[in-house]
Amino acid sequence: MTAPPTSQQHLTRLGTLFLRNGMVTAQQVEQALERQRQLGSARPLGEILVAMGLITDRQRVQVIGEQWGIPVVDLHRININGDAVQLVSQELARRYTLLPIEFAGPRLIVAMQDPLNVRAIDELRLVTGRDILPGIAPEDEIRSAIDAVYRRSGGTSVETVLKSFSSSDVSDVNGGWLPPEVQVAEEAVESDAATQPIIQLANAILQRGIAEKASDIHIEPNKDGIRVRYRIDGILSDGPSVPKNVQPALISRIKIMSDLDIAEKRAPQDGRMSLRVHGQVFDFRVSTLPAHYGEKVVLRILDKSSLQLGLSKLGLQDNVAAMYEQLLKRSHGIVLVTGPTGSGKSTTLYASLNTVNSGEKNILTIEDPVEYDLPGITQVGVNNRAGMSFAAGLRAMLRQDPDIIMVGEMRDRETAMIAIEAALTGHLVFSTLHTNDAPGAITRLVDMGVEPFLIASATVGVMAQRLVRRICDRCKEAYMPPRDAVLRYGLPLDDANEPAQLFRGAGCEQCNNSGYRGRVGCYELLPVTDDVRARILANDSADAIRDAGVASGMRSLKDDAMSKVILGQTTLEEVLRVLYAG
């Protein structure tokens, strides 16, 4: 095995390869190298290009594979040999971010995040008794594949824990499950402390949500038991049913983990907790709500790895991405991101902040609540009891010499007016609104009491968005759609005036037979051009503003979604569900 190239050689050769493959320009490589110097980081050039949104992680891996002479593995399109997987424990696979995929005679083919990790290869050779043929794959693809292939056998499932219980085990909260002296501490799932049945059950419920890549876990008491549900790719799906006599112990366990009052059952409570799963830390935002059959608990899973998204991973089409990047380069003005709850607005804002966070600017955010830690950025949480509202926090920020400000949400006229004042006095401001489309954001501000001339002067662009489920790459198949559906929704016809083929997921183990895995954004970007500004100043309707935006190059949400149907990223049914319903 050859030794890894030195840092300087790596940067020089890698930059040349990215240029040769047409993935970046020489100017972009220089920008990435400058960003690396500013951050004082030894982070590889490829990772910086990904963080800047200039390339995808798969493109980075393809170039590294070419540079090192190591085959690139596409885990979405291969059949993983179950016998090969059984040779390596889940703990080892997660520790080194690798996955056995197939045999090559007496040798074992392994997809690795870092195929030059000699220690990992030596340990694999020792554990499996076989020589190792390493391949390279993106980290997120390997982790997703690990979640899928070890889902049935890795860790302790909820069902397994429940089968180990006897009726006497769950008689009451203090009957051996959850003694009152249990310490309020964050325990790792792998910890020896997690030996009591209730701790195993709570951990198994949380682990399953993480493995399924759920955004929320719902624990819902009813008359006969407890229903556990997971929100996966925006859709709630049923999980295991838990016996009714487990309810007091399970709810109390989660409250203790979240530092909530276990004696308070009549008032809603909010808390947070962290859990280490296979070496990775996940934060949870916890909410309890007193209901007819007991307290309902909802846990929002906050995966810190999602913060590393670049703009390239959001699903922005090339022309929209170029227009949006131009907005991010502005020295002042307001950039608004709109959409309903759960449409990915926060992710877009975080990706935008990552793009502009060069180390040369003072960036401040005010959020309710602060869910993720952003390195190099000052974050402030709303605390209405202490008088720290969005407006008060924003007003204080203007005395902190900011360059860029992010306001979690414009909820009232006062906040909007202070944000506009900041934009007009030389600051770049990001914020969100709850509207159905981009032109609706303008009329919403007017309805809040903001003068049209202030909106026209301060706003530089509005991005509306939705999230649709992405077709599972593993089981994607082509089909011919009905002709009437094609004509109704404006999809293209082929040369023979027949419907062009579309794609759908057949369903497989990796996507839980749903046909979908992950989500992709659909976007509508309204740049505030002179024509759009004139419509705003005239206090025209949202439809008139939309017409001016389309004339200026805006593409509607529905057009963007339909283009993703044609490209095979999502299905027509999914677009109808998200955008056309109602």
Side-chain angles (χ1 to χ4, degrees):
M1 177 89 42
T2 57
T6 65
S7 177
Q8 189 59 44
Q9 289 173 330
H10 175 66
L11 293 181
T12 303
R13 295 174 186 171
L14 202 57
T16 302
L17 286 173
F18 284 125
L19 288 170
R20 185 189 303 164
N21 283 277
M23 297 176 180
V24 292
T25 65
Q27 182 181 5
Q28 289 172 330
V29 173
E30 287 299 322
Q31 290 173 351
L33 291 171
E34 180 61 28
R35 172 76 65 86
Q36 188 181 49
R37 286 190 288 268
Q38 291 170 351
L39 297 177
S41 170
R43 197 174 179 188
L45 176 63
E47 292 184 11
I48 292 179
L49 288 169
V50 172
M52 294 175 66
L54 299 175
I55 61 171
T56 65
D57 199 34
R58 170 151 286 280
Q59 288 176 315
R60 179 188 69 84
V61 165
Q62 288 171 345
V63 169
I64 290 176
E66 178 184 346
Q67 181 191 23
W68 292 347
I70 294 173
V72 178
V73 179
D74 188 345
L75 291 170
H76 289 143
R77 302 186 181 279
I78 64 171
N79 291 318
I80 298 172
N81 189 318
D83 292 334
V85 172
Q86 292 300 318
L87 294 178
V88 177
S89 69
Q90 181 178 183
E91 188 278 330
L92 180 62
R94 291 187 184 278
R95 190 196 319 158
Y96 292 116
T97 315
L98 55 84
L99 184 68
I101 55 176
E102 189 52 274
F103 297 106
R107 295 183 290 184
L108 181 66
I109 302 174
V110 181
M112 304 180 66
Q113 175 195 1
D114 181 8
L116 298 182
N117 189 332
V118 177
R119 181 177 178 181
I121 292 174
D122 285 344
E123 190 164 344
L124 281 173
R125 189 182 294 117
L126 181 65
V127 168
T128 64
R130 292 173 175 266
D131 285 335
I132 306 301
L133 284 178
I136 187 170
E139 177 183 0
D140 58 346
E141 289 185 18
I142 296 176
R143 292 191 182 278
S144 294
I146 289 173
D147 290 338
V149 300
Y150 287 105
R151 183 179 293 133
R152 300 289 179 248
S153 58
T156 305
S157 70
V158 180
E159 293 80 2
T160 302
V161 175
L162 290 174
K163 286 178 182 178
S164 69
F165 294 160
S166 66
S167 58
S168 61
D169 286 331
V170 293
S171 57
D172 61 3
V173 175
N174 296 325
W177 266 37
L178 192 63
E181 65 272 12
V182 73
Q183 35 183 330
V184 181
E186 297 168 359
E187 292 145 353
V189 169
E190 301 94 333
S191 169
D192 293 336
T195 56
Q196 298 186 58
I198 188 57
I199 297 177
Q200 290 180 340
L201 178 61
N203 285 345
I205 290 173
L206 301 181
Q207 272 187 286
R208 179 161 175 173
I210 291 169
E212 299 280 358
K213 297 192 178 299
S215 61
D216 300 88
I217 304 172
H218 291 238
I219 300 174
E220 305 172 340
N222 52 42
K223 182 178 180 181
D224 301 315
I226 300 175
R227 179 168 67 163
V228 179
R229 295 198 290 172
Y230 299 94
R231 187 175 294 280
I232 302 170
D233 295 334
I235 304 294
L236 273 174
S237 60
D238 286 332
S241 295
V242 178
K244 184 69 173 178
N245 53 358
V246 173
Q247 179 176 324
L250 178 59
I251 301 301
S252 294
R253 172 59 187 166
I254 293 175
K255 283 185 171 182
I256 285 174
M257 296 172 74
S258 310
D259 200 14
L260 299 178
D261 183 359
I262 64 172
E264 179 56 76
K265 296 180 172 62
R266 297 175 298 176
Q269 299 185 66
D270 294 306
R272 296 177 69 96
M273 68 177 177
S274 296
L275 205 64
R276 183 180 298 275
V277 181
H278 303 298
Q280 185 175 356
V281 176
F282 291 85
D283 292 334
F284 294 80
R285 195 178 73 211
V286 184
S287 172
T288 69
L289 180 69
H292 183 56
Y293 292 110
E295 291 176 281
K296 174 177 177 176
V297 179
V298 175
L299 302 98
R300 168 65 56 88
I301 303 175
L302 307 174
D303 182 2
K304 296 179 180 178
S305 64
S306 64
L307 290 183
Q308 303 306 315
L309 286 176
L311 291 176
S312 62
K313 288 190 177 182
L314 297 180
L316 293 167
Q317 306 240 25
D318 290 345
N319 58 331
V320 179
M323 290 170 62
Y324 189 64
E325 287 171 2
Q326 288 301 313
L327 296 182
L328 300 184
K329 294 178 181 177
R330 300 286 291 264
S331 60
H332 62 276
I334 294 179
V335 178
L336 292 172
V337 180
T338 78
T341 300
S343 60
K345 300 187 297 295
S346 295
T347 300
T348 297
L349 288 179
Y350 287 136
S352 302
L353 291 176
N354 279 335
T355 300
V356 299
N357 185 19
S358 63
E360 297 179 330
K361 298 182 183 296
N362 180 23
I363 304 177
L364 300 96
T365 75
I366 181 162
E367 307 168 58
D368 183 21
V370 175
E371 294 186 345
Y372 296 99
D373 293 328
L374 298 174
I377 294 176
T378 301
Q379 297 172 265
V380 178
V382 168
N383 187 342
N384 289 315
R385 290 184 179 180
M388 178 61 79
S389 62
F390 273 115
L394 185 53
R395 192 178 291 109
M397 284 180 177
L398 293 177
R399 298 190 290 271
Q400 292 285 314
D401 186 32
D403 295 295
I404 298 172
I405 295 172
M406 192 267 274
V407 184
E409 183 182 348
M410 286 190 184
R411 295 180 177 175
D412 51 46
R413 181 180 184 276
E414 183 181 10
T415 303
M417 289 300 298
I418 300 170
I420 286 175
E421 177 188 339
L424 293 175
T425 53
H427 306 90
L428 183 61
V429 180
F430 297 102
S431 191
T432 68
L433 278 173
H434 289 279
T435 63
N436 291 326
D437 55 19
I442 304 299
T443 55
R444 173 64 58 83
L445 288 173
V446 173
D447 291 341
M448 290 168 61
V450 181
E451 295 291 340
F453 76 91
L454 291 174
I455 301 172
S457 301
T459 310
V460 296
V462 183
M463 174 97 85
Q465 64 181 77
R466 297 290 191 282
L467 290 176
V468 294
R469 289 180 291 172
R470 188 190 293 270
I471 299 173
C472 174
D473 287 324
R474 185 78 177 276
C475 60
K476 180 188 288 188
E477 62 179 17
Y479 76 102
M480 301 304 296
R483 182 181 177 84
D484 60 337
V486 169
L487 296 176
R488 185 182 307 122
Y489 297 109
L491 293 168
L493 302 173
D494 62 16
D495 295 338
N497 203 33
E498 293 296 326
Q501 72 174 10
L502 300 181
F503 296 88
R504 61 190 172 195
C508 65
E509 182 178 348
Q510 186 165 337
C511 64
N512 283 335
N513 293 311
S514 68
Y516 300 97
R517 185 165 178 82
R519 288 189 287 181
V520 64
C522 300
Y523 300 93
E524 175 180 88
L525 179 58
L526 173 67
V528 180
T529 60
D530 290 340
D531 289 342
V532 172
R533 190 171 289 110
R535 297 287 188 182
I536 298 173
L537 288 170
N539 201 15
D540 283 346
S541 67
D543 288 339
I545 294 173
R546 171 176 292 280
D547 291 341
V550 170
S552 302
M554 183 183 82
R555 190 180 198 184
S556 73
L557 270 171
K558 293 180 180 179
D559 287 344
D560 191 51
M562 285 302 177
S563 71
K564 289 178 168 63
V565 172
I566 296 167
L567 291 171
Q569 295 179 6
T570 190
T571 64
L572 180 59
E573 293 78 11
E574 179 67 3
V575 170
L576 296 180
R577 180 184 71 84
V578 174
L579 291 180
Y580 284 84

